[in-house]
Every structure is written in C-alpha cells, then in structure tokens.
Amino acid sequence: MKSLDDYKKELEKLYAASQAEDIAASDKKYETEKKLTTDQYNRQINETENSYEDLYRENAVQKLINEREVAENMANLGLTDSGLNRTQQTAVQLSYANNKNKIDTTRQKAVDQLTYSLADAISKLDTAKTEAAAGIKSNYASAVASGAQEMYNNAVEQERKYREAQLQAQLEAQKQALEYQAQQKANNYILQTSGGLLRRDFQGSLKDNNVDVIYNTDGTTTYID
C-alpha cells in the first residue's frame, strides 16, 4: 500500500502546473500595477519639474528689469563706469542667484517627495506580490495535505475491508471443512442419530466400531456409538 508521502508527491506533481499558472497570473497582475504606478508618478514628476519653469522665467525677467533699472539710474547719475554701478549689478546678480537656488531647492524637494512615494509604492507592491505567491503556494500545500490524507485514509479502509473479506472467507472455508469432516465422521457412525437403528452394513464387531453395549435391568439393550 502507498504511504502518505507517496500520495502527497502524486498530488504535488498533479497540481504543479496549475500552481505555476496561478502564481504567474498573480505576478503579472502586480507587475502591471507597478508599471501603471511608475508611469503615474513619472508623469507627476515631469509635471512638477515643468511647473517651476514659470518661476525660473519670472526670476530671469526680474533680473533683466533690475539690471536695466540700475543701468538707467547709474546713467542718470553719470556713474555708469563707477564702482557703485558694479556693486549694484553684482547685487542684482546675487538676488537672481538666490531666487534661483530657492526655486531649485523647492522643486527638488517636490521631486524627491514624489520619487520617495514612488519607491514606497513599488516596495509595497513587491511585498504584496511575494505574499500573494506565498499564499497561493500555501493554499496548494493545504489542498495537497488534505487530499493526500483523504486518499490515504480511503486506501487504508479499502485494505481493511479486503483483509476482513479474506479473513471471513478463510473462516467460512474452515467452517465448511469442519462441517464436512463432521459429516464424514457422522457417516461412519453405526448409529446415525440419537435413538436410531443400527446400520445393517457395518463391518466388524460393535466394539471394533466404538459401540458400547449396555444391558439394562428391564431387559432392554442400549447402544452408545
């Protein structure tokens, strides 16, 4: 009779293809979600980066305006080539650079936040994908275990019934043999039944045929076979 492990191996082999298909389908679903999520966040990142272009243009325009105002003021004062003019122009350049740095920093923070959110979303999807695959394997393992146990129990029950039938057949055969032997032995008796007559065809003496003769006081005779 097969062992429990034998039935488990049979079912594992039987379920292997369908388990692989279920895991592949689950993995594909999560990979699709990952792609959609990545595309969505990449669009947001691009939109965020582009949304700061207006601020960059405004800052550049403001720099030109400030430079012209300084140039006009210095020209009106006759200080075009003076140190004051150069100082004012440097201040305009520093203001432009500071504003640009602020815009860069703000934009980078927004992009970094989206990038972090994307990485977190992908990590969660990867975890869910792994857990889903593990869940599928666990379900199949449970099905294999319960199925194998049921098959093994059925086999044990069938084996028990088979052996029980064999034993019953042996007992019946023994019973019939004993009955046959008893019948054969009974056929050898001179007295076939209790209170019956002596057989006329017996050979030898009564004593040779294991028959005891008792002479009763009332004149009758009793024969015990």
Side-chain angles (χ1 to χ4, degrees), residues 171-183:
L171 292 175
E172 185 65 24
Q174 291 175 359
K175 179 182 177 182
Q176 291 178 359
L178 291 174
E179 289 178 349
Y180 176 78
Q181 291 175 1
Q183 183 63 39

Side-chain angles (χ1 to χ4, degrees), residues 146-179:
S146 60
Q149 188 64 57
E150 182 177 357
M151 293 170 68
Y152 178 75
N153 291 344
N154 289 339
V156 169
E157 179 63 15
Q158 291 299 321
E159 181 70 13
R160 185 191 67 78
K161 289 181 178 179
Y162 173 75
R163 293 185 180 279
E164 187 179 80
Q166 277 191 323
L167 179 59
Q168 188 64 32
Q170 291 175 356
L171 292 175
E172 185 65 24
Q174 291 175 359
K175 179 182 177 182
Q176 291 178 359
L178 291 174
E179 289 178 349

